[in-house]
Amino acid sequence: MNLSSTVLIIPPNDAEAIMITKLAEAIGLPILKSGQTHGASLDKGKDVVAVVKKAKYKTVIVVEMPGIKTEEKLRKLGVELMIIDHHHYTNLDRAHDPKTNKLLPSSLEQFLKLFKLTDTKLKALGFDPMLVRAVGVMDRGYIWALKDEGYTKKQIEQFLKFHDELIAPLLNPKTEAQKNRATETAWKNKIKWNGYFIVESNADVQLRPRLSRIVAVELGKPTSLIIVEHRRKLIYVQESAHAMKLFKAFGGFTFGLDHNWGYHNEPGKKHIGLKEVKKILE
């Protein structure tokens, strides 16, 4: 692959995307960064088609930014379009290999394979292979996947410190303590229902990743959660055998090997709340 005629389009909005961006920079791969948060779409934000056309890129690699309209425009330019993703979205399956129908590995793991970034090459680029690969494993199946892959307790502790350093630029130190307190309050007020913990909050805080860390520390095992972020208009069901059932019923998106489901109650969409989710899970 000719790196000079290839461009990576990515939203560095979580640890995995930040890690991919750092690797791309290290190998000299041109990058178009999107400032969008989770739920990023190629159909929103800057006109990447115009940028690609002007720069005469021949290959475009898009990471976790589904956008059917823009993808079609890019193909019409005659460029080779490569999609790196591992999620289900409404009416769009990017969690499975289209040829084998097997669940795809994490986006970072796909990136490493695509550019043949072996442990030897990662070391030569100045990276710790164990930490780099752990980012991909974590994104694929959280801390439980790290344990399944044979990471020791000491390695996981080392990785979590590295992970937190990666995402530090995304966080506002002035409000982070407040958000952690809001998450802890929501966790204390959790309700047990039908094998799930229901956790709700009206605070403007991203509960899910913070709750996941609390569960890992306090309970130490995969735990089924229903998470309702009222202010952010998001609802999640985490570590559930029924995630795909929810996806088929309501759309939204899946992640974590299809064990997790989420839905954003955006304007114009059908509202999905706790009542609707419970009905499916009962």
Side-chain angles (χ1 to χ4, degrees), residues 198-212:
I198 299 175
V199 187
E200 301 182 71
S201 178
N202 288 308
D204 186 12
V205 55
Q206 190 179 16
L207 285 180
R208 196 186 65 76
R210 295 174 173 86
L211 282 173
S212 296

Side-chain angles (χ1 to χ4, degrees), residues 100-222:
T100 66
N101 203 38
K102 291 182 179 179
L103 277 171
L104 289 166
S106 67
S107 293
L108 175 56
E109 290 168 318
Q110 292 179 52
F111 184 88
L112 292 172
K113 183 178 180 180
L114 178 63
F115 288 96
K116 299 180 174 62
L117 293 175
T118 62
D119 286 1
T120 300
K121 288 183 180 178
L122 288 172
K123 287 179 182 177
L125 291 168
F127 296 97
D128 182 330
M130 184 274 287
L131 295 175
V132 170
R133 295 189 183 282
V135 175
V137 176
M138 175 88 158
D139 196 89
R140 167 163 46 91
Y142 199 54
I143 290 174
W144 329 121
L146 290 169
K147 291 181 177 180
D148 290 341
E149 294 277 335
Y151 282 78
T152 66
K153 183 179 179 181
K154 185 177 180 180
Q155 286 176 323
I156 291 174
E157 289 174 352
Q158 183 184 356
F159 163 69
L160 289 176
K161 182 180 179 182
F162 175 72
H163 173 277
D164 292 347
E165 290 171 352
L166 275 180
I167 65 170
L170 301 177
L171 307 176
N172 183 343
K174 294 181 180 179
T175 60
E176 193 59 20
Q178 182 181 349
K179 290 179 178 180
N180 286 336
R181 285 195 296 272
T183 303
E184 290 166 3
T185 298
W187 177 244
K188 287 178 182 177
N189 293 329
K190 63 185 178 294
I191 298 171
K192 196 161 188 178
W193 172 85
N194 205 29
Y196 292 81
F197 283 125
I198 299 175
V199 187
E200 301 182 71
S201 178
N202 288 308
D204 186 12
V205 55
Q206 190 179 16
L207 285 180
R208 196 186 65 76
R210 295 174 173 86
L211 282 173
S212 296
R213 183 67 68 88
I214 289 175
V215 168
V217 171
E218 291 190 10
L219 305 181
K221 62 180 181 180

Side-chain angles (χ1 to χ4, degrees), residues 40 56 67 73 83 113 143 148 165 183 190 192 204 222 225 235 242 254-255 282:
K56 298 181 180 179
K73 290 178 182 178
I83 304 295
K113 183 178 180 180
I143 290 174
D148 290 341
E165 290 171 352
T183 303
K190 63 185 178 294
K192 196 161 188 178
D204 186 12
L225 303 176
I235 186 165
H242 302 296
T254 69
F255 53 101
E282 281 176 331

Side-chain angles (χ1 to χ4, degrees), residues 23-44:
L23 291 169
E25 290 170 344
I27 63 176
L29 178 64
I31 307 170
L32 287 180
K33 298 179 184 179
S34 169
Q36 297 178 57
T37 57
H38 283 168
S41 170
L42 207 59
D43 292 337
K44 300 176 182 178

